[in-house]
């Protein structure tokens, strides 16, 4: 028995309703182009809303000597030379305009007394260039974009799970999916498709992503459509994720807590950063602090829960209440813990996919006609370590550019070529999963996968562990074929979890295979068996399916930018 199928036609389909997807949809609507945005979770609850720290642009409102060129230099340096210089130029040069757009649409930025947008230090930035709204910047950006999309009557479907991008002869003609509530199917015909469905950090045990988001959907949809994945092994582990309660493990404690003077200690009470970065201590970079905490825990100096202590209780109560309101509130709600009195137990947590779908720098095209990828789903800006605040500006800059590119692509089509075979295959995939009645449980397989990634492909990696991980992953993938899917009265979440699982398995394989290939330590990628940086590996690793990893050269950095690259002191600054 077939579920009913809704057929929709639109010029451009946007998959994902976070900051990147909404910004692209707004651009299309402002250009009068027919657009539809779909998401698998309510738009007000997209992952963008969790971003705390701020959004970068060299506005020079606080430090007049700042320039986009310096922002580019800082970004390239912090990427350990793996970022694409052209991508970096486009984002840093277009950043001020991105902030301008937000202001025009009512974003409540923090301001100085004279009305200038306030900017603060963040991570390895040479100047103050991070604009913010309290410690809930992402939430305000998401709200601003939702309001603008509503003004423009952008249609948004909040409960549609896309299972396939439909392709014929290496060009897209739409997508297939189902409704999470009633299981009805969607056939969406579109000239162009913009993939903005996030990263793959949920495939680790502790992550700052919530359940059922960032499970690698973008990777799977892209690869099945004929795209490739670049640098999936480059995953940023945020140093401070909560350990308890279990259902909130990985929830972030904003790095403002360290920026404002928080101290890190191990179980013995030692301020351990003196061993790893005596100059910068708690104000070191994300990758170093995550590695330090990981090492303390691994060597047996961790807390009872397997973490380290982050203590702000010595700070004035007023500082905590005004500068860290969200951290204070979160700990009170989740653990009944008063951070003005007691330390917080934290551990490194998978936070951001710096790699993603392979895209061209200029328009984020994927090499498949009419298919674009943006936001955390894409790659090219962050390399081996992301500058805090860069991901939010990336959404705005490339959301606008790709909206324009998709509009032009759609306008230039003389006909849309469809394929009944591609549609039948997508339909059959959902039918077969719904009929699946095997003994394996989707949730327990998801857990097994997260355990494999945490054990063998976490903060520190080595050859033998990664090979074990591959073997265990192969065994888990064999079991995926025997899952049972049982939609119930509450809807089709079970079917969604089965697709999440397929995505996670593909993303896990891409990550482990490229991590094996990157035999060096660079930025977030720590190989204990290859502790040094290898200049020959200053390349991007491109994965196009099991066992297929190619090296891709990175264009040279323009001289004017290279001249500005320098070690940036982090004294007195918020870390990324």
């Amino acid at each position: 028995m077939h579920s009913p199928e809704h057929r929709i036609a639109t010029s451009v389909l946007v998959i994902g309703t976070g900051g990147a997807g909404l910004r692209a949809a707004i651009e299309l609507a402002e250009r009068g182009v027919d657009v539809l945005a779909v998401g698998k979770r309510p738009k007000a609850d997209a992952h963008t809303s969790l971003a705390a720290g701020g959004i970068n642009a060299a506005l020079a409102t606080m430090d007049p000597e700042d320039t986009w060129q310096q922002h580019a230099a800082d970004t390239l340096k912090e990427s350990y030379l793996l970022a694409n210089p052209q991508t970096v130029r486009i984002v840093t040069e277009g950043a001020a305009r991105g902030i301008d757009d937000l202001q025009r649409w009512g974003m409540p930025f923090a301001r100085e007394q004279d009305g200038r947008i306030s900017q603060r230090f963040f991570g390895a930035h040479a100047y103050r260039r991070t604009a913010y709204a309290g410690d809930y910047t992402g939430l305000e950006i998401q709200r601003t974009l939702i309001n603008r999309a509503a003004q423009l009557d952008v249609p948004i479907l909040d409960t549609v799970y896309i299972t396939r991008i439909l392709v014929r002869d290496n060009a897209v003609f739409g997508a297939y999916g189902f409704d999470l509530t009633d299981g009805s199917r969607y056939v969406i015909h579109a000239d162009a498709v913009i993939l903005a469905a996030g990263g793959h950090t949920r495939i680790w045990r502790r992550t700052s992503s919530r359940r059922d988001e960032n499970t690698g959907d973008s990777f799977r949809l892209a690869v099945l459509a004929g795209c490739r994945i670049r640098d999936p092994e480059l995953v940023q582990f945020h140093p401070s994720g909560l350990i308890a309660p279990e259902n909130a493990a990985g929830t972030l404690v904003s790095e403002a807590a360290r920026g404002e003077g928080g101290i890190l200690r191990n179980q013995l009470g030692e301020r351990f950063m003196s061993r790893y970065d005596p100059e910068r201590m708690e104000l070191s970079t994300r990758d170093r602090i995550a590695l330090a905490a990981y090492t303390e825990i691994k060597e047996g100096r961790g807390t009872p829960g397997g973490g380290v202590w982050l203590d702000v209780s010595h700070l004035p109560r007023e500082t905590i209440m005004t500068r860290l309101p969200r951290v204070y509130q979160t700990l009170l709600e989740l653990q009944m813990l008063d951070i003005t009195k007691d330390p917080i137990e934290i551990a490194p947590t998978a936070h951001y996919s710096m790699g993603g779908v392979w895209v061209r720098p200029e328009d984020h095209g994927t090499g498949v006609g009419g298919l674009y990828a943006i936001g955390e789903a894409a790659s090219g800006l962050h390399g081996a370590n992301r500058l805090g605040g860069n991901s939010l500006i990336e959404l705005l800059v490339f959301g606008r550019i790709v909206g324009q590119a998709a509009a032009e692509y759609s306008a230039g089509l003389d006909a849309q070529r469809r394929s009944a075979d591609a549609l039948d295959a997508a339909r059959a995939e959902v039918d077969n999963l719904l009929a699946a009645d095997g003994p394996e449980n989707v949730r327990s397989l998801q857990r097994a996968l997260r355990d494999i990634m945490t054990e063998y492909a976490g903060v520190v990696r080595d050859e033998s562990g990664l090979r074990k991980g591959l073997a265990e992953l192969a065994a888990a993938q064999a079991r995926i074929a025997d899952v049972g899917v049982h939609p119930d009265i509450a809807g089709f979440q079970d079917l969604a979890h089965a697709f999440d699982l397929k995505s996670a398995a593909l993303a896990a394989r891409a990550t482990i295979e490229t991590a094996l290939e990157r035999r060096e330590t660079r930025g977030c990628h720590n190989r204990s068996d290859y502790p040094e940086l290898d200049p020959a590996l200053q390349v991007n690793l491109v994965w196009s399916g099991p066992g297929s990893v190619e090296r891709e050269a990175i264009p040279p950095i323009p001289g004017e930018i290279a001249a500005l690259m320098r070690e940036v002191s982090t004294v007195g600054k918020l870390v990324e």
Side-chain angles (χ1 to χ4, degrees):
M1 140 79 193
H2 267 304
S3 302
E5 268 187 355
H6 311 279
R7 290 183 167 259
I8 301 177
T10 183
S11 299
V12 184
L13 169 66
V14 178
I15 303 171
T17 54
L22 289 178
R23 179 63 188 89
I26 287 167
E27 186 65 23
L28 286 153
E30 287 189 337
R31 290 170 177 270
V33 177
D34 198 22
V35 59
L36 168 68
V38 303
K40 69 175 184 179
R41 67 183 312 138
K43 57 187 176 289
D45 191 33
H47 190 71
T48 301
S49 64
L50 296 186
I55 178 168
N56 299 338
L59 303 176
T61 57
M62 312 290 278
D63 294 318
E65 53 280 37
D66 198 13
T67 59
W68 71 261
Q69 288 92 338
Q70 186 64 57
H71 184 186
D74 294 351
T75 299
L76 286 160
K77 174 140 190 52
E78 199 57 26
S79 80
Y80 290 78
L81 305 184
L82 294 190
N84 182 297
Q86 197 183 346
T87 306
V88 171
R89 179 185 64 77
I90 290 169
V91 170
T92 52
E93 204 176 0
R97 178 165 172 189
I99 298 283
D100 230 37
D101 291 340
L102 283 178
Q103 283 194 88
R104 223 178 36 250
W105 302 329
M107 168 85 185
F109 283 112
R111 294 182 184 268
E112 296 298 296
Q113 306 239 282
D114 61 4
R116 285 172 299 158
I117 288 184
S118 299
Q119 297 203 285
R120 59 184 176 198
F121 276 127
F122 219 32
H125 292 279
Y127 298 110
R128 288 174 288 182
R129 66 166 73 99
T130 303
Y132 58 96
D135 58 357
Y136 41 85
T137 311
L139 187 64
E140 290 292 3
I141 290 175
Q142 185 70 8
R143 274 186 199 150
T144 302
L145 295 175
I146 288 171
N147 290 343
R148 181 62 185 149
Q151 287 170 1
L152 293 164
D153 293 323
V154 172
I156 297 176
L157 293 174
D158 262 348
T159 57
V160 174
Y161 191 113
I162 298 293
T163 58
R164 281 282 169 126
I165 291 171
L166 301 171
V167 177
R168 172 176 170 175
D169 301 335
N170 200 41
V172 298
F173 68 91
Y176 189 81
F178 65 91
D179 188 285
L180 287 157
T181 318
D182 63 13
S184 59
R185 311 290 177 82
Y186 280 85
V187 179
I188 304 168
H189 286 295
D191 298 337
V193 174
I194 298 174
L195 184 55
H200 69 310
T201 47
R202 186 70 219 171
I203 68 175
W204 280 267
R205 197 181 319 148
R206 283 195 195 116
T207 164
S208 54
S209 302
R210 282 89 48 100
R211 282 167 83 133
D212 313 322
E213 70 179 10
N214 287 332
T215 44
D217 306 27
S218 297
F219 287 24
R220 177 175 177 273
L221 288 170
V223 168
L224 292 180
C227 311
R228 300 169 302 150
I229 306 296
R230 178 165 51 196
D231 295 337
E233 80 283 10
L234 301 178
V235 174
Q236 187 168 61
F237 283 81
H238 191 290
S240 50
L242 295 181
I243 293 174
E246 183 59 42
N247 65 353
T251 300
L252 291 194
V253 175
S254 166
E255 289 176 294
R258 295 201 315 278
E260 296 295 344
I263 286 174
L264 290 166
R265 298 187 195 280
N266 60 20
Q267 187 54 23
L268 307 173
E270 297 169 326
R271 193 170 172 186
F272 61 83
M273 281 311 296
S274 58
R275 277 199 272 282
Y276 303 90
D277 192 345
E279 288 284 297
R280 300 188 282 191
M281 298 291 280
E282 282 84 6
L283 294 179
S284 185
T285 55
R286 268 190 192 168
D287 53 335
R288 288 195 191 177
I289 290 191
L291 180 58
Y294 173 87
T295 307
E296 291 295 309
I297 297 161
K298 200 79 175 165
E299 292 179 0
R301 295 184 294 279
T303 57
V308 295
W309 298 113
L310 169 60
D311 194 1
V312 294
S313 64
H314 56 284
L315 300 175
R317 186 181 170 87
E318 192 198 358
T319 300
I320 291 173
M321 299 320 249
T322 54
R323 303 290 188 92
L324 305 169
R326 199 175 180 171
V327 179
Y328 178 81
Q329 198 59 36
T330 302
L331 269 299
L332 214 51
E333 282 168 15
L334 290 176
Q335 298 181 6
M336 294 288 289
L337 181 84
D338 181 351
I339 64 169
T340 65
K341 300 195 177 101
D342 297 303
I344 311 162
E345 198 173 8
I346 56 160
T349 181
H351 177 52
Y352 190 88
S353 304
M354 291 180 290
V357 179
W358 182 97
V359 288
R360 294 186 291 263
E362 61 276 16
D363 66 352
H364 272 34
T366 59
V368 175
L371 180 55
Y372 305 84
I374 49 175
E376 197 174 352
S379 60
L381 177 64
H382 307 294
N385 199 34
R386 173 172 77 80
L387 265 181
N390 268 359
S391 52
L392 287 176
I393 195 63
E394 177 187 16
L395 310 180
L396 291 153
V397 174
F398 275 112
R400 175 174 60 77
I401 289 170
V402 170
Q404 181 182 345
E408 286 164 6
Y409 177 86
S410 169
L413 279 188
D414 49 6
Q416 187 195 68
R417 297 174 58 81
R418 300 174 179 176
S419 154
D421 289 351
L423 184 53
D424 287 345
R427 195 178 281 132
E429 181 180 43
V430 180
D431 289 342
N432 294 341
L433 262 183
L434 277 175
D437 199 18
E440 294 288 356
N441 176 291
V442 171
R443 279 299 201 196
S444 67
L445 277 170
Q446 280 181 324
R447 246 191 321 274
L449 210 70
R450 290 206 291 268
D451 287 343
I452 292 168
M453 294 307 289
T454 302
E455 188 59 37
Y456 304 116
V459 178
V460 176
R461 305 154 176 188
D462 65 38
E463 176 104 16
S464 72
L466 289 165
R467 296 231 173 265
K468 261 187 221 143
L470 266 186
E472 289 187 22
L473 181 61
Q477 281 184 290
R479 290 168 58 196
I480 292 176
D482 294 323
V483 295
V485 173
H486 311 288
D488 60 23
I489 195 151
F492 283 70
Q493 289 295 338
D494 210 31
L495 180 59
H497 297 153
F499 275 104
D500 285 347
L501 178 61
K502 282 173 173 271
S503 298
L506 179 142
R509 181 164 287 277
T511 303
I512 294 179
E513 289 186 352
T514 47
L516 266 167
E517 187 68 21
R518 189 170 286 288
R519 296 180 182 87
E520 66 166 349
T521 289
R522 186 187 290 262
C524 64
H525 178 72
N526 297 293
R527 282 285 298 261
S528 55
D529 47 350
Y530 293 96
E532 300 301 316
L533 187 133
D534 179 356
L537 279 165
Q538 192 215 323
V539 292
N540 295 128
L541 296 179
V542 181
W543 187 87
S544 53
S548 168
V549 180
E550 289 160 48
R551 296 181 175 201
E552 179 182 61
I554 299 167
I557 296 172
E560 57 154 350
I561 305 293
L564 296 170
M565 290 169 66
R566 57 182 191 260
E567 278 296 340
V568 173
S569 157
T570 55
V571 177
K573 301 183 190 179
L574 280 182
V575 242
E576 311 150 54

